[in-house]
Amino acid sequence: DTAVSQTPKYLVTQMGNDKSIKCEQNLGHDTMYWYKQDSKKFLKIMFSYNNKELIINETVPNRFSPKSPDKAHLNLHINSLELGDSAVYFCASSPSGRTYEQYFGPGTRLTVT
Amino acid sequence: AQSVTQLGSHVSVSEGALVLLRCNYSSSVPPYLFWYVQYPNQGLQLLLKYTTGATLVKGINGFEAEFKKSETSFHLTKPSAHMSDAAEYFCALRGGYNKLIFGAGTRLAVHP
């Protein structure tokens, strides 16, 4: 059983397109996150949601919009994709009371051409 | 500001040798510290964590780390490297709103 899953695993698209990445966790966790890993492997948080409420919104362009339909899902929609958006995007989740203990999904490698 | 510095972007050891991956942090509040491992084309897996209490923490796969407040360090060690330990290792610090602040990562190579 996959604890934190993401779809798709790979996403290749052209500049200007709009795309979404989906994340689901079956751990019963209340908090979910999106992280971006750039080409140099540097990881940085983008967003965090707790029970469908936005908690963290780092300095991310407005083209990125997270959506949490329920506490088990956190999707990431990206408008007007740019070359610089190419990266690996990781979803993570954490349990209530131990939100520092995060469990990561396998990642989605986004390539913008 | 909180930050994490990992010394050495690449570390290479022989199979059976000691593994030492260095991590220093900066935090104005008592830190919670973590080590994560990332195998090629996979997500991050939590190796171990320090929150409070015992400063020597043991994790999975024979790894351990020692929190040293005086040195603001949280170095990761393993007595004997295996080929399967080859991966990218990330040190992380709990930041505001419980976000994780990651170091730049250290790639560990293990050769026969």
Side-chain angles (χ1 to χ4, degrees):
Chain A
D1 289 342
T2 303
V4 182
S5 59
Q6 295 179 228
T7 53
K9 188 169 175 62
Y10 299 96
L11 183 53
V12 181
T13 188
Q14 292 184 328
M15 285 174 54
N17 285 348
D18 303 339
K19 291 293 179 185
S20 292
I21 306 172
K22 295 186 177 183
C23 177
E24 176 181 4
Q25 54 94 5
N26 63 6
L27 297 167
H29 291 168
D30 294 322
T31 307
M32 296 183 72
Y33 312 80
W34 278 109
Y35 286 84
K36 179 180 180 181
Q37 186 176 44
D38 63 23
S39 59
K40 295 186 177 180
K41 299 282 189 178
F42 186 66
L43 273 154
K44 194 172 190 303
I45 191 161
M46 301 173 69
F47 302 103
S48 139
Y49 268 74
N50 181 270
N51 276 324
K52 304 195 298 175
E53 180 183 350
L54 181 65
I55 302 297
I56 296 173
N57 183 350
E58 293 287 291
T59 50
V60 176
N62 291 338
R63 299 182 294 104
F64 290 79
S65 55
K67 286 186 172 49
S68 181
D70 55 61
K71 74 174 193 177
H73 295 83
L74 180 62
N75 304 323
L76 183 65
H77 188 76
I78 316 170
N79 290 328
S80 303
L81 278 155
E82 300 177 356
L83 292 176
D85 298 332
S86 295
V88 181
Y89 292 85
F90 287 101
C91 178
S93 71
S94 61
S96 177
R98 298 199 317 274
T99 49
Y100 49 81
E101 192 172 303
Q102 296 177 20
Y103 296 83
F104 284 76
T108 295
R109 183 175 293 276
L110 171 64
T111 303
V112 183
T113 62
Chain B
Q2 293 177 297
S3 65
V4 176
T5 303
Q6 290 184 239
L7 300 173
S9 58
H10 290 83
V11 170
S12 182
V13 300
S14 299
E15 194 171 18
L18 171 72
V19 175
L20 171 60
L21 304 182
R22 300 176 188 273
C23 173
N24 288 87
Y25 69 90
S26 174
S27 178
S28 57
V29 298
Y32 282 18
L33 294 156
F34 310 85
W35 277 99
Y36 282 85
V37 60
Q38 184 180 27
Y39 298 104
N41 297 314
Q42 294 187 29
L44 281 77
Q45 181 181 4
L46 180 63
L47 269 180
L48 50 79
K49 64 180 185 287
Y50 168 78
T51 55
T52 58
T55 56
L56 182 63
V57 292
K58 296 185 185 300
I60 60 172
N61 302 337
F63 284 93
E64 62 182 35
E66 187 170 11
F67 169 64
K68 291 187 177 179
K69 183 179 178 181
S70 61
E71 299 177 8
T72 60
S73 70
F74 190 57
H75 301 331
L76 182 71
T77 60
K78 182 174 181 178
S80 176
H82 294 169
M83 298 294 289
S84 60
D85 294 327
E88 191 89 24
Y89 291 80
F90 292 92
C91 182
L93 170 70
R94 182 184 68 168
Y97 296 101
N98 287 311
K99 68 181 178 185
L100 290 177
I101 300 166
F102 285 91
T106 297
R107 176 158 293 182
L108 175 66
V110 182
H111 51 86

